[in-house]
Structure formats: C-alpha cells, structure tokens
Amino acid sequence: MEILPSPGILFTILMFVAMISPLVFIHEMGHYLAGRMFNTAVDSFSIGFGREIFGWTNRRGERWKVGWLPLGGYVKFTGDANAASMPQEAARVDPAEKPFLFAFKPFWQRAIIVAAGPFVNFAAAILIFATFIAIYGQSYTSPVVSNIVTGSAADRAGLAPGDRILKVDGKAIERFEDIIGIVMINPGTPVSVDFERAGAVRNIVLTPHLIEEKDRFGKTFTIPRIGLIGQERGVIERGPVESLWYGTEAVFDTTGMMVEGLVQIVTGRRSMKELGGPLKIAEVSGQAGTMGIEAFVNLMALVSINLGFINLLPIPMLDGGHLAIYAAEAVRRKPIPPRVQEWAFMTGFALLISFMLIVTWNDLASFGVFKHVAGLIG
C-alpha cells in the first residue's frame, strides 16, 4: 500500500471546519425549526462559541452569528438564562411572554424541540449512506468462508473453507461485511460463532487477535482479526426505497456499535484511551480530505451519527440530559425544582469538562506529544 503524505496543519484545520460546521448547523437548525413549529421565541442562533466574528439580526429580532471557536453551536431561546437552556426565574418573566417561551411550553413540546437536533444528525447520515448506496450500489460478500488464515483464531477454532457463517455474537449474518463490524467492536473479547457445515449447524467460541497495521498515512494502529477470508466481493444495485432502507439500517448498526463500545468502556472491558476528541476528528478530517470528496462525506456521516449519539447521552447540558429532566417531569407530573436543575447542570458541566480533558489527553498522547516532551526534558 502506498504511503500518502500527511496533510498540512492549515489544510487539516480547513477540513475540520468544513466537517464540523455543517453538522453543527443542521443540528441547531433542527432545534430551531422545531421551536418555530411551536411558536417559540428565539434570541440567537450561533455556529461556534466565543466572540462573534460576524452576524446579522433578522426581522424577528433573532441574532444569527458565527463564533470564532468552531467546536459547537447553540440556539438560545428567549427567556433562557444561558445557551444551555437553563430557564430564568419565573418571577422575572413577563406573563405576556410566557406562551412564547421555551421554558413554559408543555414538556412534550420541549422534548420534541430538544430531540430534533440529534434526529436531524441521524437523518443526515441516513441520507448520505442512502445516496452512496443508490449511486454505487451496496457491496456484498457471501458469508461463506473461502479460506482461513493459518494460525489465526478461526484456524484454531476449527473453521474451514466452505463453512457458512450464520451468527456472530448472537447477531444474524447476511453478508461477510456484517462479521467485520461485529469483530471490530469486540477486540480481544471471546465471541460466539454459529456456522453451517454440510447441512449441520455448529457453534464455536473464538477470540479475535489484535494485530498492528499501518494506514495510508503510515500511522500504526491495532485492529482485531479472526482470520476468515471471504469470497469475491460483489455489488448489489439498490433502488431509492431500498437504498433508504439500507442507509437507515447502516445508521442503526453504527449507533449500536457506539452504544456497545461505550458500555465496554464503562464496564472496563475497553480502555478509555480509545476515546478521541476534537484533535483526533481534525486529524482524520484532514486525512479524509486528501482522499477525495467521497471519503470526506462518508466520514461526515459517521461524525454526524457520533454527534447525534453523544448529544442523546443523559448528561445535563446535553440534549439527552434535558430529555431525562422532561421524563422526570412527566413521571412527577410537575416541574423539577429550579435548584435541582441548577445542581444537575453544574454536575453535567463538570462531567463534560472532565470528558474533554480525557479525550484531549488521549489525542495529544496519540500524536506523541508527551513522548516528545519527555525526550526534551530527558
């Protein structure tokens, strides 16, 4: 494989902004449009944080602006104390304005407005995957084994050419590509494999090996392998409806892998060192940019899924935290006390800062920054 030169810093920054800005825009636009659907007043719509670079005020008095730090964005609804939708004290609110304020909307309307952001991110990924499938077709490799890597986990477990893989880790296998996705999420973890041989269904348990490989930019990474070699890959043409169906399926499968990966990290089965942050996204954005528009847009779909998934985590300050509060309101049949909400959001802020520190540390470590510093000190 030809080793490609790493993209420059300026190109990487430009690709990162080109990757993140549209995804943040559509996420916040989901919140905004859902809010407008319920006649909710808006103060500002921002792409990026920090000081405003440029902006304008529309005829409804809404301030649309771009901040200098392109790591997120927000819609600030009128009556909210901050961009995280913490409401002002009710005593400070003009009664005439209450019907138009987000904080005083029925909880189900607030839930729809909050969920609209992540929903749009998932929808965008579906459309991207569906478009690729409609244009290029869907790759398909029969789940029948054509060969086995000598000495691999599959070889030691007794799998042989001609075996048809039926299930891996309890998940049905329709094509060889399904096996790859399941193995990737189970590095070093035993997985159950159901296969058919000569009309009889059998079961084995094998553990994927972690092997080192290099990507197109010469960077070393580890990847799990079980040693199965599939048959020749083909392409199945899909119509518009089928493409949409399989695009949706791809998003569900990818989200499921994210959920499983998070569970593995929380339970200690995987290291937190595998988590990446903005610097890692910037790096892969630059790399994808050098590989062409198709690779870049495909990565954008994956990042969009990641953005939607993370925002649905039940952490205060994130969309999922708001939804958790609204669910509690529905159960209690009355609002959560403001003091409780305030403490919840403070806790959520602390969690997010901790998470950002961890992933930034991981990013810097993956770039060899700490080894370089240690070398300078030593």
Side-chain angles (χ1 to χ4, degrees):
M1 179 177 60
E2 180 186 0
I3 301 297
L4 301 177
S6 297
I9 294 178
L10 179 58
F11 180 81
T12 296
I13 293 174
L14 291 175
M15 290 298 99
F16 176 69
V17 173
M19 174 75 66
I20 293 297
S21 296
L23 297 181
V24 171
F25 177 78
I26 64 173
H27 178 96
E28 298 304 327
M29 184 57 69
H31 292 314
Y32 175 81
L33 292 177
R36 293 298 304 164
M37 181 173 65
F38 295 117
N39 201 25
T40 307
V42 174
D43 279 343
S44 59
F45 185 111
S46 177
I47 299 301
F49 296 120
R51 181 173 297 178
E52 178 180 322
I53 299 175
F54 65 89
W56 65 94
T57 302
N58 65 16
R59 58 184 177 83
R60 284 191 291 268
E62 302 164 350
R63 184 65 180 174
W64 291 66
K65 56 186 178 180
V66 175
W68 70 270
L69 186 62
L71 295 179
Y74 59 87
V75 175
K76 184 177 181 298
F77 293 103
T78 303
D80 290 346
N82 53 43
S85 291
M86 277 291 294
Q88 295 178 358
E89 293 182 18
R92 300 181 183 177
V93 177
D94 184 346
E97 294 181 350
K98 284 187 177 182
F100 306 101
L101 301 186
F102 175 83
F104 296 94
K105 295 291 182 179
F107 78 87
W108 64 270
Q109 291 186 7
R110 283 179 281 144
I112 291 175
I113 293 171
V114 168
F119 173 81
V120 170
N121 282 124
F122 289 125
I126 290 172
L127 289 177
I128 291 173
F129 287 151
T131 300
F132 279 149
I133 293 172
I135 294 174
Y136 302 108
Q138 185 180 35
S139 62
Y140 177 86
T141 305
S142 171
V144 176
V145 179
S146 67
N147 208 345
I148 301 288
V149 176
T150 303
S152 66
D155 186 27
R156 292 201 306 273
L159 285 167
D163 292 341
R164 174 177 288 273
I165 308 300
L166 304 176
K167 291 183 179 180
V168 176
D169 202 29
K171 300 176 179 65
I173 301 300
E174 296 182 3
R175 47 191 195 124
F176 199 84
E177 288 80 0
D178 298 333
I179 303 173
I180 299 173
I182 298 172
V183 171
M184 288 292 291
I185 200 64
N186 288 288
T189 303
V191 293
S192 172
V193 178
D194 293 342
F195 65 97
E196 182 181 2
R197 179 183 295 173
V201 176
R202 308 183 185 187
N203 175 269
I204 59 171
V205 176
L206 51 80
T207 302
H209 282 292
L210 287 175
I211 63 173
E212 286 193 351
E213 293 189 358
K214 287 189 175 182
D215 61 20
R216 298 185 180 186
F217 300 90
K219 193 160 188 176
T220 302
F221 63 97
T222 57
I223 189 169
R225 296 289 192 205
I226 58 176
L228 293 179
I229 298 177
Q231 299 179 338
E232 185 176 352
R233 177 175 296 181
V235 175
I236 299 178
E237 294 185 0
R238 304 289 190 187
V241 176
E242 282 185 309
S243 296
L244 194 61
W245 170 265
Y246 285 104
T248 304
E249 183 180 63
V251 170
F252 270 96
D253 290 345
T254 304
T255 305
M257 292 173 63
M258 290 180 180
V259 172
E260 189 167 348
L262 181 61
V263 170
Q264 290 176 356
I265 289 174
V266 171
T267 56
R269 291 168 56 193
R270 300 182 72 166
S271 172
M272 291 190 70
K273 293 180 179 179
E274 297 185 38
L275 294 173
L279 296 178
K280 178 61 68 174
I281 295 176
E283 180 188 33
V284 296
S285 298
Q287 293 173 350
T290 66
M291 296 166 64
I293 185 65
E294 294 174 9
F296 186 81
V297 174
N298 187 66
L299 176 62
M300 183 178 286
L302 296 176
V303 174
S304 188
I305 296 171
N306 191 66
L307 181 60
F309 171 70
I310 288 177
N311 269 279
L312 285 178
L313 294 178
I315 299 174
M317 289 194 71
L318 296 180
D319 295 332
H322 287 286
L323 293 174
I325 290 175
Y326 303 154
E329 284 187 18
V331 172
R332 298 175 77 246
R333 296 188 178 182
K334 59 181 179 180
I336 302 296
R339 188 63 176 170
V340 175
Q341 291 193 46
E342 183 179 344
W343 277 103
F345 278 90
M346 289 173 60
T347 303
F349 179 75
L351 287 173
L352 288 179
I353 292 298
S354 300
F355 176 77
M356 288 302 298
L357 289 174
I358 290 172
V359 296
T360 301
W361 179 278
N362 290 344
D363 289 349
L364 293 174
S366 70
F367 297 150
V369 171
F370 300 125
K371 291 182 179 179
H372 179 68
V373 172
L376 293 176
I377 296 176

